[in-house]
Amino acid sequence: MVHLTQGPDAAVDGNPTADADYAHPESRKGFFTDTSICIGCKACEVACKEWNRNPVDSTFALSNSSFDNSEGLGADTWRHVAFVEQGRQQVEAARASGRALVSLGMPGIRRAAGETGPGHDAGRPASDAAGGFSGALGAAGSGAAGLAPAPELGGLDVLSSLGGPVDSSAVDTTPPDTPEFRWLMSSDVCKHCTNAGCLDVCPTGALFRTEHGTVVVQDDVCNGCGTCVAGCPFGVIERRSDGIAQPKTDRSPAPGVHAEKPAKPTKPTKNESKTKRKNKNTGVAQKCTLCYDRMTDGQTPACAQACPTTSIQYGERADMLARSQERVAQLHAQGRTEARLYGANPKDGVGGTGSVFLLLDEPEVYGLPPDPRVPTRDLPRMYARAGIAMAGMVAAAGVAFLAGGRR
């Protein structure tokens, strides 16, 4: 397995399966979530719960803080659609911060040698032409905010099994222009990090790297210790229900089937069930598997299959990354400088993520850490400091012993 202590470049070509001892590793799979066209329908949440048979995680009461009543990811909610309300000032601030990022030169799409396109002038140095959005979108062009028109999106296939391939031209991917008010809606999910902290710290091997580059929890191996919960910088993984590990004999043997306990000796009341039912895998760490069971059969994950706007796209991670970069360039060409990518940087604290997001504001607005960093990355330095401290204590004890013996 790839561990963070090896550094951010431990994965071969950004694919962690290459170092996971698979004889025939598959290409890395992942999500691209385009929040600019998310309508907040929560179809992905419902599809995820139905397919994985996850239990109810609320009392069906309003949260009184937002139209979002599931409120966050957890052991029972593996897909979560956030609702963020913004007024004119927040929208203007987001676009201003985006313009500052664009001026720095954001990573762009590399083209083949000799290929021409928007912003690729013959007289321009190759490093400038391919090095960032400031070069990839060039100074020439008639697009909004001085940016040239971006390449169109490729064919989308996330809804293919619902009635033929999706025609991308038939999908309106233009965000509504609402300068006075807007909703930022984002479908969040496990990031399936290149260097996964939960995978690093699991003492039982319950978490493993699949042949597709994703990270999955084995229910029957997890002992409920919760170490992985502290090891995730995104707060994704969680222990189900009461957070206490249950004996294996109390767990449901079949997926989606609730375990039952004998009836209480007292006569149940009218509103009390005759049997006490307990959710499957109570006390065991749970999170998104990127529908590993569907992936092995060549199917699209349930959330991407159910998304009506193609906001959630699934495929090879390299293709998703290229598609996300094209989409950012497209939005920048429309003057929406607030568009930015999250999880696409292989040099961040987790080595890049399998789930790439297009955001319309700072990550903190969506409840995402701006600079995620896996705790295990600091282990070598922590061990070194602990060794120095121990040596200092031994030396101090020796000096005290020698000084005391002379009296």
Side-chain angles (χ1 to χ4, degrees):
M1 295 297 177
V2 177
H3 293 279
L4 237 324
T5 53
Q6 298 175 2
D9 298 323
V12 180
D13 295 330
N15 187 355
T17 61
D19 195 40
D21 296 329
Y22 281 102
H24 303 286
E26 302 284 341
S27 58
R28 187 180 185 184
K29 301 297 193 299
F31 285 125
F32 165 44
T33 302
D34 184 354
T35 67
S36 68
I37 55 176
C38 178
I39 59 175
C41 66
K42 289 185 177 282
C44 54
E45 280 194 34
V46 176
C48 178
K49 276 189 174 290
E50 287 186 346
W51 179 260
N52 295 290
R53 299 180 180 180
N54 287 338
V56 174
D57 58 350
S58 70
T59 57
F60 302 103
L62 296 178
S63 65
N64 296 321
S65 62
S66 169
F67 285 103
D68 168 28
N69 294 311
S70 51
E71 298 187 287
L73 293 174
D76 302 330
T77 301
W78 298 353
R79 265 281 181 187
H80 166 249
V81 180
F83 286 65
V84 181
E85 180 180 339
Q86 288 193 323
R88 172 183 283 273
Q89 291 183 348
Q90 288 85 358
V91 174
E92 292 177 350
R95 292 183 176 173
S97 66
R99 283 192 293 271
L101 290 175
V102 173
S103 65
L104 293 175
M106 296 175 65
I109 305 169
R110 295 187 179 276
R111 298 177 179 269
E115 184 178 357
T116 59
H120 288 76
D121 301 316
R124 175 174 293 180
S127 59
D128 186 23
F133 275 119
S134 58
L137 296 178
S142 57
L147 300 175
E152 294 296 329
L153 287 174
L156 306 177
D157 61 358
V158 293
L159 301 178
S160 58
S161 63
L162 297 183
V166 173
D167 181 8
S168 61
S169 63
V171 180
D172 183 8
T173 58
T174 303
D177 188 9
T178 53
E180 297 292 340
F181 169 86
R182 71 175 179 181
W183 283 106
L184 294 182
M185 298 172 181
S186 172
S187 182
D188 197 10
V189 72
C190 174
K191 312 307 181 289
H192 294 276
C193 306
T194 301
N195 298 299
C198 59
L199 187 64
D200 276 349
V201 300
C202 179
T204 65
L207 285 115
F208 73 100
R209 179 79 65 181
T210 72
E211 66 272 26
H212 302 287
T214 58
V215 180
V216 175
V217 181
Q218 300 175 92
D219 302 334
D220 57 339
V221 181
C222 178
N223 65 358
C225 68
T227 308
C228 57
V229 177
C232 176
F234 300 99
V236 168
I237 194 166
E238 185 182 67
R239 288 179 294 189
R240 177 160 289 171
S241 188
D242 55 10
I244 301 175
Q246 303 293 328
K248 291 184 178 181
T249 54
D250 289 345
R251 298 180 188 172
S252 172
V257 178
H258 293 275
E260 297 183 356
K261 290 184 177 180
K264 293 182 178 181
T266 57
K267 183 178 180 180
T269 62
K270 183 181 298 184
N271 297 326
E272 185 179 10
S273 172
K274 293 184 179 180
T275 59
K276 197 69 174 179
R277 301 169 71 86
K278 177 171 65 67
N279 287 333
K280 173 178 176 284
N281 295 327
T282 300
V284 175
Q286 298 282 268
K287 73 173 189 68
C288 162
T289 65
L290 219 150
C291 282
Y292 180 51
D293 52 347
R294 294 174 64 93
M295 292 170 62
T296 54
D297 289 334
Q299 298 183 23
T300 300
C303 56
Q305 189 71 57
C307 181
T309 65
T310 69
S311 171
I312 302 173
Q313 302 173 35
Y314 161 79
E316 293 190 10
R317 202 256 184 184
D319 294 339
M320 295 297 99
L321 183 58
R323 189 175 295 181
S324 66
Q325 291 173 329
E326 290 181 358
R327 178 59 174 161
V328 168
Q330 189 180 63
L331 291 174
H332 284 183
Q334 297 172 3
R336 301 182 183 276
T337 56
E338 68 268 33
R340 66 202 74 188
L341 295 182
Y342 186 83
N345 183 7
K347 299 297 183 181
D348 63 13
V350 295
T353 62
S355 302
V356 179
F357 297 82
L358 186 152
L359 306 180
L360 295 180
D361 207 332
E362 300 286 352
E364 300 94 318
V365 175
Y366 295 85
L368 297 170
D371 186 19
R373 186 178 179 89
V374 180
T376 51
R377 189 183 184 93
D378 296 323
L379 280 179
R381 184 173 58 182
M382 293 168 61
Y383 288 150
R385 291 181 176 178
I388 295 173
M390 184 177 297
M393 292 178 63
V394 171
V399 170
F401 177 78
L402 294 175
R406 292 176 181 175
R407 293 180 182 177

